Amino acid sequence: MPEEKSPFVLVDSDGVSAGYYTLSAYRNQLAELPAALARKLPRYRLPPATLLGRLAISNALRGQNLGRFLLMDALHRSWRNTSEVASVGVVVEALNEAARSFYLHHEFVQFPDHANKLFLAMATIEKAFRAS
């Protein structure tokens, strides 16, 4: 299990935590990924990835697109850091159906044998940020 580092925290104008997420190094079994995706990745048995952990928004602030904001911040940080630390993509383990739907909406793909474990390739993330 990867060790999670200090969270990235979104604070409102009153200094109250509005949401947070964590990023940490992670390794996948290449065979766990969807076959079409695995074919596009380097042939490492355990390709390095970034684990997005514990993305959460305060209940009082739900419905304001803060989850999307934090996700985009996490993806941008993950992509930016690939110049120093290798990562083929971002992995997340959704806690429930609502979280899984959120990540699927943002183009993550499910691991074949783990419905709540999802992946977004770094090439997809890079394309999104280079285009904007």
Side-chain angles (χ1 to χ4, degrees):
M1 186 66 153
E3 178 182 327
E4 291 197 27
K5 301 298 179 191
S6 299
F8 295 95
V9 180
L10 177 63
V11 178
D12 71 13
S13 59
D14 295 325
V16 176
S17 175
Y20 66 94
Y21 66 88
T22 61
L23 296 173
S24 57
Y26 188 77
R27 293 183 300 177
N28 284 320
Q29 294 283 338
L30 191 60
E32 288 181 323
L33 293 167
L37 181 60
R39 282 192 295 273
K40 297 176 185 177
L41 298 176
R43 295 287 153 224
Y44 301 119
R45 189 175 61 83
L46 297 170
T50 303
L51 178 66
L52 169 58
R54 300 189 178 167
L55 189 147
I57 298 297
S58 166
N59 285 333
L61 298 172
R62 293 195 184 234
Q64 298 181 27
N65 286 324
L66 295 178
R68 183 182 190 287
F69 175 81
L70 285 178
L71 176 60
M72 292 305 118
D73 187 68
L75 295 177
H76 188 260
R77 283 180 196 274
S78 299
W79 169 63
R80 194 176 67 223
N81 288 334
T82 60
S83 65
E84 296 178 19
V85 179
S87 177
V88 297
V90 174
V91 175
V92 65
E93 294 189 31
L95 294 178
N96 55 39
E97 179 60 31
R100 189 170 72 82
S101 293
F102 171 80
Y103 291 112
L104 289 170
H105 176 77
H106 288 93
E107 300 186 36
F108 281 73
V109 295
Q110 290 176 225
F111 280 65
D113 297 330
H114 308 286
N116 286 342
K117 190 173 182 182
L118 302 111
F119 181 85
L120 186 61
M122 197 58 68
T124 302
I125 297 167
E126 179 177 12
K127 190 184 303 181
F129 285 111
R130 287 214 187 270
S132 57

